[in-house]
Amino acid sequence: MTAAPIAVLKRELLVRLLDSWTPYAAHRSRRLTYAQVGADPDGARTDLPLRVFAEFADLLRGRRMAVLSLGPVADEPLDRVGTAQAELPAEVGVHLLAGTAERLPVALTAAGAAGAPILAFVDAELGAAPAPAVLAALTDAGRPAELLLALGPEARRQWREMSGGDDRAPLLTAGFPLATAVELVTGVDPDAAGPVELVVYGTGSGNRLTAFKDAMWAVDEFAGVRYRDPGDPDAHPLDISLSPHPGPLRRELLARLDVVGGASPVVELRRFTLEQTVYRAADTTRALTALLAAGQVTREPTHGRLGGDVVIRLAG
């Protein structure tokens, strides 16, 4: 098994994220910046996002947008970039730069990105994990800032050393108020059967975190690629589906209740699900319903809709 299916999945996830971010950012500001680091397997770093931005040409007209692409410039198919850029308003500037993520802070400054929305995609499939200063540069400049970060095996190992056991920690420390993480795995026994990549996403908006989760579960299912929740003690791989298997979430909700003293309102459990698991907040209701049916938790009040103010308690 090669990493190609994972690479295809990342491309679709990026497209879906760009589809929701572009109108969100354009309605917030007359300036916006998209920055990308790392090359796709076929060498096309910039053609993909430009095609997405071209779909929003009318919305972007009259706004100043910088598209920064850092990587091995010699690998960039300049003819395709030129074709895609021709479909965009003149206010959209595309800048191809040689370098790694370490050059991103300087590139953002040169592009005048400060004080406006920023979305960055850093693909460290083969390289090193970005340094804390790179992460902090995004939150220092972006108002608001978002980061989609993909970490290959070596970068994932470095990230785990930085994180202290919580894959979200480096982004939270860098100033992203909200962060989540998911592993992309291959095979039933992923550590033995094939590549494992870690995807981490940071934002300052609960709505944007919800949009990322929606995009994550809406991508097409790719043969041999599954998600894995870093917080699941059983490390159970999950098929990509609009209705993912709730088993890992049930276990994590039980563990969460134990940590918080055995009881929590549903609204807090939904927030925990959104921020600290791979699941969507809406998946909480399905998992809690199963736990209630199994007698593993109780609820107060005992009847009615499972609203946010309902208190869930560990049984016994």
Side-chain angles (χ1 to χ4, degrees):
M1 173 88 56
T2 68
I6 289 180
V8 174
L9 187 150
K10 288 186 297 184
R11 286 168 63 99
E12 184 176 342
L13 179 58
L14 175 62
V15 167
R16 289 180 179 273
L17 189 61
L18 289 170
D19 273 335
S20 66
W21 175 80
T22 305
Y24 165 80
H27 284 304
R28 288 182 64 99
S29 174
R30 300 196 69 81
R31 295 187 297 116
L32 56 158
T33 301
Y34 171 71
Q36 183 166 295
V37 182
D40 283 340
D42 64 359
R45 288 186 288 121
T46 312
D47 179 60
L48 180 68
L50 290 185
R51 283 189 278 116
V52 175
F53 298 143
E55 297 176 4
F56 298 96
D58 290 343
L59 182 60
L60 294 175
R61 191 165 288 110
R63 289 169 170 79
R64 184 167 68 84
M65 182 178 190
V67 178
L68 310 177
S69 182
L70 283 78
V73 175
D75 290 345
E76 186 72 27
L78 295 176
D79 56 337
R80 290 204 301 173
V81 171
T83 300
Q85 189 174 7
E87 301 176 14
L88 290 166
E91 296 91 340
V92 179
V94 180
H95 309 277
L96 307 181
L97 308 169
T100 65
E102 305 308 309
R103 285 202 62 193
L104 188 55
V106 174
L108 291 173
T109 299
I118 294 174
L119 171 63
F121 171 50
V122 179
D123 191 351
E125 178 183 347
L126 301 176
V134 174
L135 306 176
L138 290 167
T139 56
D140 287 344
R143 298 291 186 273
E146 295 183 32
L147 170 64
L148 178 62
L149 172 62
L151 301 154
E154 177 58 23
R156 174 171 166 257
R157 182 191 63 77
Q158 296 170 355
W159 189 263
R160 290 275 162 85
E161 292 177 354
M162 295 166 51
S163 69
D166 182 354
D167 288 323
R168 303 174 306 127
L171 291 190
L172 298 175
T173 300
F176 288 96
L178 300 171
T180 194
V182 58
E183 289 182 326
L184 310 182
V185 302
T186 56
V188 176
D189 182 8
D191 285 321
V196 179
E197 290 196 31
L198 178 68
V199 170
V200 189
Y201 171 77
T203 182
S205 164
N207 288 336
R208 293 299 302 149
L209 183 55
T210 297
F212 171 74
K213 290 290 187 69
D214 289 343
M216 197 181 85
W217 289 107
V219 300
D220 292 335
E221 183 175 355
F222 294 95
V225 182
R226 297 179 178 182
Y227 292 147
R228 188 168 63 186
D229 194 329
D232 177 17
D234 291 349
H236 181 74
L238 293 163
D239 291 332
I240 300 172
S241 168
L242 290 175
S243 299
H245 192 283
L249 180 56
R250 292 198 296 262
R251 292 190 290 271
E252 292 184 78
L253 288 172
L254 290 173
R256 178 64 176 177
L257 287 168
D258 187 56
V259 167
V260 300
S264 178
V266 170
V267 65
E268 294 297 332
L269 294 176
R270 287 172 60 89
R271 183 176 296 114
F272 165 78
T273 298
L274 179 64
E275 297 178 18
Q276 299 189 43
T277 80
V278 300
Y279 292 87
R280 300 156 298 194
D283 295 320
T284 313
T285 300
R286 189 160 55 104
L288 289 176
T289 300
L291 290 172
L292 287 164
Q296 293 178 277
V297 299
T298 62
R299 53 169 286 175
E300 300 173 5
T302 57
H303 299 288
R305 187 176 64 88
L306 200 62
D309 57 345
V310 174
V311 176
I312 302 295
R313 296 184 183 276
L314 289 172

